[in-house]
Amino acid sequence: QLLVDINRLGLPSGTEYLETIAPQFIADLVSWSFVGARMSRNSVLRELASGLSTPVGFYNSSSGDWRAEVEAVAASAKEHAFLSVSKQ
């Protein structure tokens, strides 16, 4: 309900995706998204990022190492096929 209320105000909203189910249901309400440092190594979320129609950011680890995030961006830039609830 919070995302709906924010959307009705005409404000953009962002979220961190932690799994692959929720984005299918809230994508129309989200203007930008990100994958957190602990999840950016997750290949499933990298694939999800390739199919989202919003800008996606990847957080770097708390140690400051950025290599995993660069790999995540490169992996998500590739074409992927995944299950969805629509024919698109």
Side-chain angles (χ1 to χ4, degrees):
Q1 183 63 44
L2 177 62
L3 287 173
V4 171
D5 293 341
I6 291 171
N7 190 280
R8 285 186 181 145
L9 292 172
L11 298 172
S13 61
T15 189
E16 177 180 9
Y17 288 127
L18 300 172
E19 44 78 34
T20 59
I21 303 299
Q24 300 176 68
F25 299 103
I26 65 171
D28 290 343
L29 301 171
V30 175
S31 301
W32 57 273
S33 56
F34 65 94
V35 177
R38 282 174 266 150
M39 301 302 281
S40 64
R41 295 180 189 270
N42 184 318
S43 62
V44 174
L45 288 176
R46 290 177 179 186
E47 291 176 16
L48 171 71
S50 75
L52 294 173
S53 57
T54 61
V56 180
F58 291 92
Y59 272 102
N60 65 322
S61 66
S62 58
S63 70
D65 185 19
W66 46 265
R67 283 173 267 179
E69 287 62 42
V70 171
E71 292 171 7
V73 170
S76 65
K78 295 179 180 172
E79 190 173 311
H80 295 94
F82 54 94
L83 299 173
S84 73
V85 294
S86 68
K87 293 181 180 180
Q88 297 178 344

Coordinates of all heavy atoms in Angstrom, one line a residue:
Q1 N 0.8 -1.2 0.0 CA 0.0 0.0 0.0 C 0.9 1.3 0.0 O 0.5 2.3 -0.6 CB -0.9 0.0 1.2 CG -1.9 1.2 1.2 CD -2.8 1.2 0.1 OE1 -3.4 0.2 -0.3 NE2 -3.0 2.4 -0.5
L2 N 2.0 1.2 0.7 CA 2.9 2.4 0.7 C 3.3 2.8 -0.7 O 3.3 4.0 -1.0 CB 4.1 2.1 1.6 CG 5.2 3.2 1.7 CD1 4.5 4.4 2.3 CD2 6.4 2.7 2.4
L3 N 3.7 1.8 -1.5 CA 4.1 2.2 -2.9 C 3.0 2.8 -3.7 O 3.2 3.7 -4.5 CB 4.7 1.0 -3.6 CG 6.1 0.5 -3.2 CD1 6.4 -0.9 -3.9 CD2 7.1 1.5 -3.5
V4 N 1.8 2.3 -3.5 CA 0.6 2.9 -4.2 C 0.4 4.4 -3.7 O 0.2 5.3 -4.5 CB -0.6 2.1 -3.9 CG1 -1.9 2.8 -4.4 CG2 -0.5 0.7 -4.5
D5 N 0.5 4.6 -2.4 CA 0.3 6.0 -1.9 C 1.4 6.9 -2.4 O 1.1 8.0 -2.7 CB 0.3 5.9 -0.3 CG -0.9 5.2 0.2 OD1 -1.9 5.0 -0.5 OD2 -0.8 4.8 1.4
I6 N 2.6 6.5 -2.4 CA 3.7 7.3 -2.9 C 3.5 7.6 -4.4 O 3.7 8.7 -4.9 CB 5.1 6.6 -2.7 CG1 5.4 6.5 -1.2 CG2 6.2 7.3 -3.5 CD1 6.6 5.7 -0.9
N7 N 3.0 6.6 -5.2 CA 2.8 6.8 -6.6 C 1.7 7.8 -6.8 O 1.7 8.6 -7.7 CB 2.4 5.4 -7.2 CG 2.4 5.5 -8.7 OD1 1.4 5.9 -9.3 ND2 3.5 5.0 -9.3
R8 N 0.6 7.7 -6.0 CA -0.5 8.7 -6.1 C 0.0 10.1 -5.9 O -0.6 11.1 -6.4 CB -1.6 8.3 -5.2 CG -2.4 7.1 -5.7 CD -3.6 6.8 -4.8 NE -4.3 5.6 -5.3 CZ -4.9 4.7 -4.6 NH1 -4.9 4.9 -3.3 NH2 -5.5 3.7 -5.1
L9 N 1.0 10.3 -5.1 CA 1.5 11.7 -4.8 C 2.4 12.1 -6.0 O 2.8 13.3 -6.1 CB 2.4 11.7 -3.6 CG 1.7 11.5 -2.3 CD1 2.7 11.3 -1.1 CD2 0.7 12.6 -2.0
G10 N 2.7 11.2 -7.0 CA 3.5 11.6 -8.1 C 5.0 11.6 -7.8 O 5.8 12.1 -8.6
L11 N 5.3 10.9 -6.8 CA 6.8 10.8 -6.4 C 7.4 9.5 -6.9 O 6.7 8.5 -6.8 CB 6.9 10.9 -4.9 CG 6.4 12.2 -4.2 CD1 6.4 12.0 -2.7 CD2 7.3 13.3 -4.7
P12 N 8.6 9.5 -7.3 CA 9.3 8.3 -7.7 C 9.6 7.5 -6.4 O 9.8 8.0 -5.3 CB 10.5 8.7 -8.4 CG 10.8 10.1 -7.8 CD 9.5 10.7 -7.5
S13 N 9.7 6.2 -6.6 CA 10.1 5.3 -5.4 C 11.1 4.3 -5.9 O 11.1 3.9 -7.1 CB 8.9 4.6 -4.8 OG 8.3 3.8 -5.8
G14 N 11.9 3.8 -5.0 CA 12.9 2.8 -5.4 C 12.9 1.7 -4.3 O 12.3 1.8 -3.3
T15 N 13.5 0.6 -4.7 CA 13.4 -0.6 -3.8 C 14.7 -1.4 -4.0 O 15.3 -1.4 -5.1 CB 12.2 -1.4 -4.0 OG1 12.1 -2.4 -2.9 CG2 12.1 -2.1 -5.3
E16 N 15.0 -2.2 -3.0 CA 16.0 -3.2 -3.2 C 15.3 -4.6 -3.4 O 14.5 -5.0 -2.6 CB 16.9 -3.3 -1.9 CG 17.9 -4.4 -2.0 CD 18.7 -4.5 -0.7 OE1 18.4 -3.9 0.3 OE2 19.7 -5.3 -0.7
Y17 N 15.7 -5.2 -4.5 CA 15.1 -6.5 -4.8 C 16.0 -7.6 -4.1 O 17.2 -7.7 -4.3 CB 15.0 -6.8 -6.3 CG 14.0 -6.0 -6.9 CD1 14.2 -5.2 -8.0 CD2 12.7 -6.0 -6.5 CE1 13.2 -4.4 -8.6 CE2 11.7 -5.3 -7.1 CZ 11.9 -4.5 -8.2 OH 11.0 -3.7 -8.7
L18 N 15.4 -8.4 -3.3 CA 16.0 -9.5 -2.6 C 15.7 -10.9 -3.2 O 16.4 -11.9 -2.8 CB 15.7 -9.5 -1.1 CG 16.0 -8.2 -0.4 CD1 15.5 -8.2 1.0 CD2 17.5 -8.0 -0.4
E19 N 14.7 -10.9 -4.0 CA 14.3 -12.2 -4.6 C 13.6 -11.9 -5.9 O 13.5 -10.8 -6.3 CB 13.4 -13.0 -3.6 CG 12.3 -12.2 -2.9 CD 11.1 -11.9 -3.8 OE1 10.7 -12.7 -4.6 OE2 10.5 -10.8 -3.6
T20 N 13.1 -12.9 -6.6 CA 12.6 -12.8 -8.0 C 11.1 -12.7 -8.1 O 10.7 -12.5 -9.3 CB 13.2 -13.9 -8.9 OG1 12.7 -15.2 -8.3 CG2 14.7 -13.9 -8.9
I21 N 10.3 -12.9 -7.1 CA 8.9 -13.0 -7.2 C 8.3 -11.6 -7.1 O 7.5 -11.2 -8.0 CB 8.3 -13.9 -6.2 CG1 8.8 -15.3 -6.3 CG2 6.7 -13.9 -6.3 CD1 8.6 -16.0 -7.6
A22 N 8.6 -10.8 -6.1 CA 8.0 -9.5 -5.9 C 8.1 -8.5 -7.1 O 7.1 -7.8 -7.3 CB 8.6 -8.8 -4.6
P23 N 9.2 -8.5 -7.8 CA 9.3 -7.5 -8.9 C 8.1 -7.6 -9.9 O 7.7 -6.6 -10.5 CB 10.6 -7.8 -9.6 CG 11.4 -8.4 -8.5 CD 10.5 -9.2 -7.6
Q24 N 7.6 -8.8 -10.1 CA 6.5 -9.0 -11.1 C 5.3 -8.3 -10.6 O 4.5 -7.9 -11.5 CB 6.2 -10.5 -11.2 CG 7.4 -11.3 -11.7 CD 7.0 -12.8 -11.7 OE1 6.2 -13.2 -12.5 NE2 7.7 -13.5 -10.8
F25 N 5.1 -8.1 -9.3 CA 3.9 -7.5 -8.8 C 4.0 -6.0 -8.5 O 3.0 -5.3 -8.4 CB 3.5 -8.3 -7.6 CG 3.2 -9.7 -7.8 CD1 4.1 -10.7 -7.5 CD2 2.0 -10.1 -8.5 CE1 3.9 -12.0 -7.8 CE2 1.8 -11.4 -8.8 CZ 2.7 -12.4 -8.4
I26 N 5.2 -5.5 -8.3 CA 5.4 -4.1 -8.0 C 6.1 -3.3 -9.0 O 6.3 -2.1 -8.8 CB 6.0 -3.9 -6.6 CG1 7.5 -4.5 -6.6 CG2 5.2 -4.6 -5.5 CD1 8.3 -4.2 -5.4
A27 N 6.5 -3.8 -10.1 CA 7.3 -3.2 -11.1 C 6.6 -1.9 -11.6 O 7.3 -0.9 -11.9 CB 7.5 -4.1 -12.3
D28 N 5.3 -1.8 -11.7 CA 4.6 -0.6 -12.2 C 4.7 0.6 -11.2 O 4.5 1.7 -11.5 CB 3.2 -0.9 -12.5 CG 3.0 -1.7 -13.7 OD1 3.9 -1.9 -14.5 OD2 1.9 -2.3 -13.8
L29 N 5.1 0.3 -9.9 CA 5.2 1.3 -8.9 C 6.6 1.7 -8.6 O 6.8 2.6 -7.8 CB 4.5 0.8 -7.6 CG 3.0 0.4 -7.8 CD1 2.5 -0.3 -6.5 CD2 2.2 1.6 -8.1
V30 N 7.6 1.1 -9.2 CA 9.0 1.4 -8.8 C 9.7 2.1 -10.0 O 9.6 1.7 -11.1 CB 9.7 0.0 -8.5 CG1 11.2 0.2 -8.3 CG2 9.1 -0.6 -7.3
S31 N 10.4 3.2 -9.6 CA 11.1 4.0 -10.6 C 12.6 3.6 -10.8 O 13.2 3.8 -11.8 CB 11.1 5.5 -10.2 OG 9.7 5.9 -10.1
W32 N 13.2 3.0 -9.7 CA 14.6 2.6 -9.8 C 14.7 1.5 -8.8 O 13.9 1.4 -7.8 CB 15.5 3.7 -9.5 CG 15.3 4.4 -8.2 CD1 14.5 5.5 -8.0 CD2 15.9 4.1 -7.0 NE1 14.6 5.9 -6.7 CE2 15.4 5.1 -6.1 CE3 16.8 3.2 -6.6 CZ2 15.8 5.0 -4.7 CZ3 17.2 3.2 -5.2 CH2 16.7 4.1 -4.3
S33 N 15.7 0.7 -9.0 CA 15.9 -0.5 -8.0 C 17.4 -0.7 -7.9 O 18.2 -0.2 -8.6 CB 15.2 -1.7 -8.5 OG 15.6 -2.0 -9.8
F34 N 17.7 -1.5 -6.9 CA 19.1 -1.9 -6.7 C 19.2 -3.3 -6.1 O 18.3 -3.8 -5.5 CB 19.8 -0.8 -5.8 CG 19.3 -0.7 -4.4 CD1 19.9 -1.5 -3.4 CD2 18.3 0.1 -4.1 CE1 19.5 -1.4 -2.1 CE2 17.8 0.2 -2.8 CZ 18.4 -0.5 -1.8
V35 N 20.4 -3.8 -6.2 CA 20.7 -5.1 -5.6 C 21.8 -4.8 -4.6 O 22.8 -4.2 -4.9 CB 21.2 -6.1 -6.7 CG1 21.6 -7.4 -6.1 CG2 20.1 -6.3 -7.8
G36 N 21.6 -5.3 -3.4 CA 22.5 -5.0 -2.3 C 23.8 -5.7 -2.4 O 24.0 -6.6 -3.2
A37 N 24.8 -5.3 -1.6 CA 26.2 -5.8 -1.7 C 26.2 -7.3 -1.4 O 26.9 -8.0 -2.1 CB 27.0 -5.1 -0.6
R38 N 25.4 -7.8 -0.5 CA 25.4 -9.3 -0.2 C 24.8 -10.1 -1.3 O 25.0 -11.2 -1.5 CB 24.8 -9.5 1.1 CG 25.7 -9.2 2.3 CD 25.0 -9.4 3.6 NE 24.5 -8.0 3.9 CZ 23.5 -7.7 4.6 NH1 22.7 -8.7 5.1 NH2 23.1 -6.5 4.8
M39 N 23.9 -9.4 -2.1 CA 23.1 -10.1 -3.1 C 23.7 -10.0 -4.5 O 23.2 -10.6 -5.4 CB 21.6 -9.7 -3.1 CG 21.0 -9.9 -1.7 SD 21.0 -11.6 -1.2 CE 19.7 -12.3 -2.2
S40 N 24.6 -9.0 -4.7 CA 25.0 -8.7 -6.1 C 25.8 -9.9 -6.7 O 26.0 -9.9 -7.9 CB 25.9 -7.5 -6.1 OG 27.0 -7.6 -5.3
R41 N 26.3 -10.8 -5.9 CA 26.9 -12.0 -6.4 C 25.9 -13.1 -6.9 O 26.3 -14.1 -7.5 CB 27.9 -12.6 -5.4 CG 29.0 -11.7 -5.1 CD 30.0 -12.3 -4.0 NE 30.9 -11.4 -3.6 CZ 32.1 -11.2 -4.1 NH1 32.5 -11.9 -5.2 NH2 33.0 -10.3 -3.6
N42 N 24.7 -12.9 -6.5 CA 23.6 -13.9 -6.8 C 23.3 -13.8 -8.3 O 22.8 -12.9 -8.8 CB 22.4 -13.5 -6.0 CG 21.3 -14.5 -6.1 OD1 21.0 -15.0 -7.2 ND2 20.6 -14.8 -5.0
S43 N 23.6 -14.9 -9.0 CA 23.3 -15.0 -10.5 C 21.9 -14.8 -10.9 O 21.6 -14.2 -11.9 CB 23.9 -16.3 -11.1 OG 23.2 -17.4 -10.5
V44 N 21.0 -15.3 -10.0 CA 19.5 -15.2 -10.3 C 19.1 -13.7 -10.3 O 18.4 -13.2 -11.2 CB 18.7 -16.0 -9.3 CG1 17.2 -15.7 -9.6 CG2 19.0 -17.5 -9.5
L45 N 19.6 -12.9 -9.3 CA 19.3 -11.5 -9.3 C 20.0 -10.7 -10.4 O 19.4 -9.7 -10.9 CB 19.6 -10.9 -7.9 CG 18.7 -11.4 -6.8 CD1 19.2 -10.8 -5.4 CD2 17.3 -11.0 -7.0
R46 N 21.1 -11.2 -10.8 CA 21.8 -10.5 -12.0 C 20.9 -10.7 -13.2 O 20.7 -9.8 -14.0 CB 23.2 -11.1 -12.2 CG 24.2 -10.8 -11.1 CD 25.5 -11.4 -11.4 NE 26.5 -11.1 -10.4 CZ 27.8 -11.4 -10.5 NH1 28.2 -12.2 -11.5 NH2 28.6 -11.1 -9.5
E47 N 20.4 -11.9 -13.4 CA 19.5 -12.2 -14.5 C 18.2 -11.4 -14.4 O 17.7 -10.8 -15.4 CB 19.2 -13.7 -14.6 CG 20.4 -14.5 -15.0 CD 20.1 -16.0 -14.9 OE1 18.9 -16.4 -14.9 OE2 21.0 -16.8 -15.0
L48 N 17.7 -11.3 -13.2 CA 16.5 -10.5 -13.0 C 16.7 -9.0 -13.4 O 15.9 -8.4 -14.1 CB 16.1 -10.5 -11.5 CG 15.0 -9.5 -11.1 CD1 13.6 -9.9 -11.7 CD2 14.9 -9.3 -9.6
A49 N 17.9 -8.5 -13.0 CA 18.2 -7.1 -13.4 C 18.2 -6.9 -14.9 O 17.9 -5.8 -15.4 CB 19.6 -6.7 -12.8
S50 N 18.6 -7.9 -15.6 CA 18.6 -7.8 -17.1 C 17.2 -7.6 -17.7 O 17.0 -7.1 -18.8 CB 19.3 -9.0 -17.8 OG 18.5 -10.1 -17.7
G51 N 16.2 -8.1 -17.0 CA 14.8 -8.1 -17.5 C 13.9 -6.9 -16.9 O 12.8 -6.8 -17.4
L52 N 14.5 -6.2 -16.0 CA 13.7 -5.1 -15.4 C 13.6 -3.9 -16.3 O 14.6 -3.6 -17.0 CB 14.3 -4.7 -14.0 CG 14.2 -5.7 -12.9 CD1 15.0 -5.2 -11.7 CD2 12.7 -6.0 -12.6
S53 N 12.5 -3.1 -16.3 CA 12.4 -2.0 -17.1 C 12.7 -0.7 -16.4 O 12.4 0.4 -16.8 CB 11.0 -1.9 -17.7 OG 10.1 -1.9 -16.7
T54 N 13.4 -0.8 -15.3 CA 13.9 0.3 -14.5 C 15.4 0.3 -14.4 O 16.0 -0.7 -14.6 CB 13.3 0.3 -13.0 OG1 13.8 -0.9 -12.4 CG2 11.8 0.3 -13.0
P55 N 16.0 1.5 -14.1 CA 17.4 1.5 -13.9 C 17.7 0.6 -12.6 O 17.0 0.6 -11.7 CB 17.8 2.9 -13.6 CG 16.6 3.7 -14.1 CD 15.4 2.8 -14.1
V56 N 18.8 -0.1 -12.7 CA 19.2 -1.0 -11.6 C 20.7 -0.7 -11.2 O 21.5 -0.6 -12.0 CB 19.1 -2.5 -12.0 CG1 19.5 -3.4 -10.8 CG2 17.7 -2.9 -12.4
G57 N 20.9 -0.5 -9.9 CA 22.2 -0.3 -9.4 C 22.7 -1.5 -8.6 O 21.8 -2.3 -8.0
F58 N 24.0 -1.7 -8.5 CA 24.5 -2.7 -7.6 C 25.5 -2.1 -6.6 O 26.4 -1.3 -7.0 CB 25.4 -3.7 -8.5 CG 24.5 -4.5 -9.4 CD1 24.3 -4.1 -10.7 CD2 24.0 -5.7 -9.0 CE1 23.5 -4.8 -11.6 CE2 23.2 -6.5 -9.9 CZ 23.0 -6.1 -11.2
Y59 N 25.2 -2.4 -5.3 CA 26.0 -1.9 -4.3 C 27.3 -2.6 -4.2 O 27.4 -3.8 -4.4 CB 25.3 -2.0 -2.9 CG 24.5 -0.8 -2.6 CD1 23.1 -0.9 -2.7 CD2 25.0 0.4 -2.1 CE1 22.3 0.2 -2.4 CE2 24.2 1.4 -1.8 CZ 22.9 1.3 -1.9 OH 22.1 2.4 -1.6
N60 N 28.4 -1.9 -3.9 CA 29.7 -2.6 -3.7 C 29.8 -3.1 -2.2 O 29.0 -2.6 -1.4 CB 30.9 -1.8 -4.1 CG 31.0 -0.5 -3.2 OD1 30.0 0.1 -2.8 ND2 32.3 -0.2 -2.8
S61 N 30.7 -4.0 -2.0 CA 30.8 -4.6 -0.6 C 31.3 -3.6 0.4 O 31.9 -2.6 0.0 CB 31.7 -5.8 -0.7 OG 33.0 -5.4 -1.0
S62 N 31.1 -3.8 1.6 CA 31.5 -2.9 2.7 C 33.0 -2.8 2.8 O 33.6 -1.9 3.3 CB 30.9 -3.4 4.0 OG 31.3 -4.7 4.3
S63 N 33.7 -3.8 2.2 CA 35.2 -3.8 2.2 C 35.7 -2.8 1.1 O 36.9 -2.5 1.1 CB 35.7 -5.2 1.9 OG 35.5 -5.6 0.6
G64 N 34.8 -2.4 0.2 CA 35.2 -1.4 -0.8 C 35.6 -2.1 -2.1 O 35.9 -1.5 -3.1
D65 N 35.6 -3.4 -2.1 CA 35.9 -4.2 -3.3 C 34.8 -4.0 -4.3 O 33.6 -4.3 -4.0 CB 36.2 -5.7 -3.0 CG 36.6 -6.5 -4.2 OD1 37.1 -5.8 -5.2 OD2 36.5 -7.7 -4.2
W66 N 35.1 -3.6 -5.5 CA 34.1 -3.3 -6.5 C 34.0 -4.3 -7.7 O 33.2 -4.2 -8.5 CB 34.3 -1.9 -7.1 CG 35.7 -1.7 -7.5 CD1 36.7 -1.1 -6.7 CD2 36.4 -2.1 -8.7 NE1 37.9 -1.1 -7.3 CE2 37.7 -1.7 -8.6 CE3 36.0 -2.8 -9.8 CZ2 38.7 -1.9 -9.6 CZ3 36.9 -3.0 -10.8 CH2 38.2 -2.6 -10.7
R67 N 34.9 -5.3 -7.6 CA 35.0 -6.3 -8.8 C 33.7 -7.1 -9.0 O 33.2 -7.3 -10.1 CB 36.2 -7.2 -8.6 CG 37.4 -6.5 -9.0 CD 38.6 -7.3 -8.7 NE 39.0 -6.9 -7.4 CZ 40.0 -7.4 -6.7 NH1 40.7 -8.4 -7.2 NH2 40.3 -7.0 -5.5
A68 N 33.1 -7.5 -7.9 CA 31.8 -8.3 -8.0 C 30.7 -7.5 -8.6 O 29.9 -8.0 -9.4 CB 31.4 -8.8 -6.7
E69 N 30.7 -6.2 -8.3 CA 29.6 -5.3 -8.9 C 29.8 -5.1 -10.4 O 28.9 -5.0 -11.1 CB 29.5 -4.0 -8.1 CG 28.9 -4.2 -6.7 CD 29.7 -5.2 -5.8 OE1 30.9 -5.1 -5.8 OE2 29.1 -6.0 -5.1
V70 N 31.1 -4.9 -10.8 CA 31.4 -4.7 -12.2 C 31.0 -6.0 -12.9 O 30.4 -5.9 -14.0 CB 32.9 -4.4 -12.4 CG1 33.3 -4.4 -13.9 CG2 33.2 -3.0 -11.8
E71 N 31.3 -7.2 -12.4 CA 30.9 -8.4 -13.0 C 29.4 -8.5 -13.0 O 28.8 -9.0 -14.0 CB 31.4 -9.6 -12.2 CG 32.9 -9.8 -12.3 CD 33.5 -10.8 -11.3 OE1 32.7 -11.5 -10.6 OE2 34.7 -10.9 -11.2
A72 N 28.7 -8.0 -12.0 CA 27.2 -8.1 -12.0 C 26.6 -7.2 -13.1 O 25.7 -7.6 -13.7 CB 26.7 -7.6 -10.6
V73 N 27.2 -6.0 -13.3 CA 26.7 -5.2 -14.3 C 26.9 -5.8 -15.7 O 26.0 -5.8 -16.6 CB 27.4 -3.8 -14.3 CG1 27.1 -2.9 -15.5 CG2 27.0 -3.0 -13.0
A74 N 28.1 -6.4 -15.9 CA 28.4 -7.1 -17.2 C 27.4 -8.3 -17.4 O 26.9 -8.5 -18.5 CB 29.8 -7.5 -17.2
A75 N 27.2 -9.0 -16.3 CA 26.3 -10.2 -16.5 C 24.9 -9.8 -16.7 O 24.2 -10.4 -17.5 CB 26.4 -11.1 -15.2
S76 N 24.4 -8.7 -16.1 CA 23.0 -8.3 -16.3 C 22.8 -7.6 -17.6 O 21.7 -7.5 -18.1 CB 22.6 -7.4 -15.1 OG 23.3 -6.2 -15.1
A77 N 23.9 -7.2 -18.2 CA 23.8 -6.5 -19.6 C 23.5 -7.6 -20.7 O 23.1 -7.2 -21.8 CB 25.0 -5.7 -19.9
K78 N 23.8 -8.8 -20.4 CA 23.5 -9.9 -21.4 C 22.1 -10.3 -21.4 O 21.3 -10.1 -20.5 CB 24.4 -11.1 -21.0 CG 25.9 -10.8 -21.1 CD 26.7 -12.0 -20.8 CE 28.2 -11.6 -20.9 NZ 29.0 -12.6 -20.4
E79 N 21.7 -10.9 -22.5 CA 20.3 -11.3 -22.7 C 20.1 -12.6 -21.9 O 20.9 -13.5 -21.8 CB 20.1 -11.6 -24.2 CG 18.6 -11.8 -24.5 CD 18.4 -11.9 -26.0 OE1 18.9 -11.1 -26.7 OE2 17.8 -12.9 -26.4
H80 N 18.9 -12.6 -21.2 CA 18.5 -13.7 -20.4 C 17.1 -14.1 -20.6 O 16.3 -13.2 -21.0 CB 18.7 -13.4 -18.9 CG 20.1 -13.2 -18.5 ND1 20.6 -12.0 -18.4 CD2 21.1 -14.1 -18.1 CE1 21.9 -12.1 -18.0 NE2 22.2 -13.3 -17.8
A81 N 16.7 -15.3 -20.4 CA 15.3 -15.8 -20.5 C 14.9 -16.2 -19.1 O 15.7 -16.9 -18.4 CB 15.2 -16.9 -21.4
F82 N 13.7 -15.8 -18.6 CA 13.3 -16.2 -17.3 C 11.7 -16.3 -17.3 O 11.1 -15.7 -18.2 CB 13.7 -15.2 -16.2 CG 13.4 -13.8 -16.5 CD1 12.3 -13.2 -16.0 CD2 14.3 -13.0 -17.3 CE1 11.9 -11.9 -16.2 CE2 13.9 -11.6 -17.5 CZ 12.8 -11.1 -17.0
L83 N 11.2 -17.0 -16.4 CA 9.8 -17.2 -16.3 C 9.1 -15.9 -15.8 O 9.7 -15.1 -15.1 CB 9.4 -18.3 -15.3 CG 10.0 -19.7 -15.6 CD1 9.7 -20.6 -14.4 CD2 9.3 -20.2 -16.8
S84 N 7.9 -15.7 -16.3 CA 7.1 -14.5 -15.9 C 5.6 -14.9 -15.8 O 5.2 -15.9 -16.3 CB 7.4 -13.3 -16.8 OG 6.7 -13.5 -18.0
V85 N 4.9 -13.9 -15.3 CA 3.4 -14.2 -15.2 C 2.7 -13.6 -16.4 O 1.5 -13.7 -16.5 CB 2.8 -13.5 -13.9 CG1 3.4 -14.3 -12.7 CG2 3.1 -12.1 -13.9
S86 N 3.4 -13.1 -17.4 CA 2.7 -12.5 -18.6 C 3.4 -13.2 -19.8 O 4.4 -13.9 -19.7 CB 2.8 -11.0 -18.6 OG 4.1 -10.6 -18.8
K87 N 2.9 -12.8 -21.0 CA 3.4 -13.4 -22.2 C 4.6 -12.5 -22.8 O 5.2 -12.9 -23.8 CB 2.3 -13.4 -23.3 CG 1.3 -14.4 -23.0 CD 0.2 -14.5 -24.0 CE -0.9 -15.5 -23.7 NZ -1.9 -15.6 -24.7
Q88 N 4.9 -11.5 -22.1 CA 6.0 -10.6 -22.6 C 7.4 -11.1 -22.3 O 7.8 -11.6 -21.4 CB 5.9 -9.2 -22.0 CG 4.6 -8.6 -22.4 CD 4.4 -7.2 -21.7 OE1 5.0 -6.9 -20.7 NE2 3.4 -6.4 -22.2

